[in-house]
């Protein structure tokens, strides 16, 4: 589970770097855990993407206003992982051109390019990707509005 989590975070960061054409180091991905719902003893784990710049930079506004934006992030990461030169080197399962990141040095041993390709491929091939993106968008907008912000 920790390998999948570390790899997925690395894939999201890669996709964000591709989408915003650089390193948006002010966008942070953190794990959040909530108690299970309806008496479920298993806590829900999810990732939260937030902007550390006070008042925000506007990068995340695109995700609130365009449900396809996150799919573009995942597709960009997937393409980069599939085409990286390190795939041609036996025994190498990632590099700094694709899934590794300097800010995640303590998780590098958990991060796997091939696992990232598998996970993103499965997500992007899913028939319900569009619905999942719309649902996530609607939840994000609801949370955004619950804090008193206006917008779609």
């Amino acid at each position: 589970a920790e390998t999948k989590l570390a790899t997925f975070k690395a894939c999201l960061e890669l996709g964000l770097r591709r989408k915003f054409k650089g390193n948006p180091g002010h966008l942070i991905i953190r794990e959040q855990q909530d108690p299970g719902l309806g008496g479920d003893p298993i806590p829900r784990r999810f990732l939260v993407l937030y902007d550390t710049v006070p008042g925000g930079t506007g990068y995340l506004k695109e995700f609130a206003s365009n449900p396809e934006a996150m799919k573009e992030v995942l597709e960009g990461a997937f393409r980069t992982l599939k085409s990286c030169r390190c795939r041609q080197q036996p025994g190498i399962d990632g590099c700094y051109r694709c899934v590794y990141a300097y800010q995640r040095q303590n998780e590098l041993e958990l991060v796997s390019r091939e696992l990232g390709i598998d996970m993103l491929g499965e997500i992007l091939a899913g028939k319900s990707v569009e619905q999942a993106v719309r649902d996530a968008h609607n939840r994000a907008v609801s949370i955004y509005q619950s804090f008193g912000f206006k917008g779609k």
Side-chain angles (χ1 to χ4, degrees):
E2 295 308 312
T3 298
K4 284 186 173 183
L5 181 62
T7 297
F8 191 69
K9 284 193 291 190
C11 289
L12 282 176
E13 289 173 345
L14 170 62
L16 291 168
R17 288 193 308 270
R18 294 295 174 254
K19 177 159 185 58
F20 296 118
K21 297 174 179 41
N23 185 8
H26 52 86
L27 297 180
I28 304 293
I29 300 168
R30 293 283 188 252
E31 183 182 352
Q32 181 66 41
Q33 194 165 295
D34 277 348
L37 298 175
D40 186 356
I42 301 172
R44 296 181 322 147
R45 294 172 65 186
F46 52 95
L47 298 177
V48 177
L49 176 63
Y50 66 95
D51 196 332
T52 59
V53 174
T57 58
Y59 280 53
L60 296 182
K61 187 175 183 179
E62 181 176 350
F63 295 117
S65 63
N66 176 10
E68 291 298 310
M70 186 54 73
K71 185 176 178 187
E72 292 169 10
V73 166
L74 298 177
E75 288 171 338
F78 184 71
R79 282 190 307 272
T80 301
L81 293 174
K82 292 275 290 184
S83 65
C84 189
R85 293 184 292 209
C86 72
R87 286 192 87 192
Q88 308 305 316
Q89 299 174 0
I92 303 295
D93 194 20
C95 72
Y96 287 97
R97 286 183 300 271
C98 63
V99 76
Y100 292 170
Y102 291 103
Q103 67 268 26
R104 293 216 175 269
Q105 292 292 312
N106 59 335
E107 293 182 340
L108 288 187
E109 63 197 33
L110 298 173
V111 174
S112 164
R113 180 199 59 242
E114 292 303 313
L115 177 59
I117 290 170
D118 290 346
M119 288 191 306
L120 294 177
E122 189 175 313
I123 291 167
L124 293 169
K127 293 181 180 166
S128 62
V129 169
E130 287 78 15
Q131 185 60 47
V133 167
R134 278 193 294 277
D135 290 348
H137 171 259
N138 291 335
R139 281 192 301 276
V141 168
S142 175
I143 291 167
Y144 185 73
Q145 290 172 340
S146 74
F147 284 105
F149 298 107
K150 297 183 191 231
K152 304 191 220 179

